[in-house]
Amino acid sequence: VVVGIVMWRQPPQHQEWKGAGTTAHFYEIILGRCYTYTQIVRPELGHKDCQKIGKAFTDAFLSKDPCSSTEQDYQPLMELTNQTVPCDKTLLWSKTNELVHEYAWVQRELFTLENTLLGYMADGLRWCGDPGSPEMNYQSCPDRWKDCSNNSVSVFWNTVSKRFAEDACGVVRVLLNGSVHNTFDERSTFARVEVFNLHPEKVHTLQAWVMQDIRNISSDSCSHASIKNLKLILSKRNITFTCENNYRDSFQKHLWRFSHK
Ligand code: NAD
């Protein structure tokens, strides 16, 4: 008597998390962005191997617990995407996502992290894997507040933001938002990672531009308590701090030009 055992292939069962899942077509998007960046945006990086970079990116998180992601997981990716940003051209930001990128679009020589290859590839995307499956989890990914802070996306941004700050030299600028209560937010990546990874031997000054919403410009944002805190941290780190409110001159001129293109 032959007893046949029928095995049903179950679709992969992923763990359920509280955050949205991997962005649909994640792999195609990062690969496409890598080619766009290295062939069109910065053709001087045309020698970078996007296939290898794409694989190193997914190898960093596939088949792994998305709540135990580490800097080491992203090391091979980091090594393949090294890039030099000229001195005096680094532009950091916090709570000014839209404005800073409009500005960087006009001021082409300035680099935000999202104007470097790896930041460009990953900006606005979500991704995670699962230890029990070689595939991406498109259903859900850990939420950084409700599930875990060492999730694959947060660890990625901590790692690339750290390198971006470590590599900076000369004057570094930061564009901050003077219309929110936490202009210098201690929980932000700028505060937790970037400020502490600027090298005082290379970076002599951090120049803050604190911008306010044009509809309700209040008093001097540079004297805001949270900015005093930033100033104190930098003085302890031997980095000169300068602060300018509503850096109008440059911004209005450039944004005006931008809107009249
Ligand atoms: P912010 O509070 O305005 O956050 C900017 C964006 O990054 C938000 O969408 C936020 O949800 C996301 N983000 C920040 N920290 C994160 C983390 N640990 N995990 C997942 N998402 C995170 O400003 P910020 O936190 O100071 O970050 C901006 C600075 O850090 C910039 O100088 C930039 O170089 C770098 N950064 C960029 C991104 C990005 O999405 N492009 C994300 C993190 C950090």
Side-chain angles (χ1 to χ4, degrees), residues 91-97 101 112-114 119 123-124 144 151 153-154 157-158 161 164 185 187-192 194:
L91 178 57
L92 307 176
W93 56 275
S94 199
K95 324 264 175 236
T96 52
N97 198 344
H101 295 115
T112 65
L113 178 56
E114 299 71 35
D123 196 25
R144 72 171 153 138
N151 64 76
V153 175
S154 294
W157 287 114
N158 288 340
S161 301
F164 190 55
D185 174 4
R187 296 194 304 180
S188 69
T189 306
F190 170 65
R192 286 181 304 105
E194 293 175 331

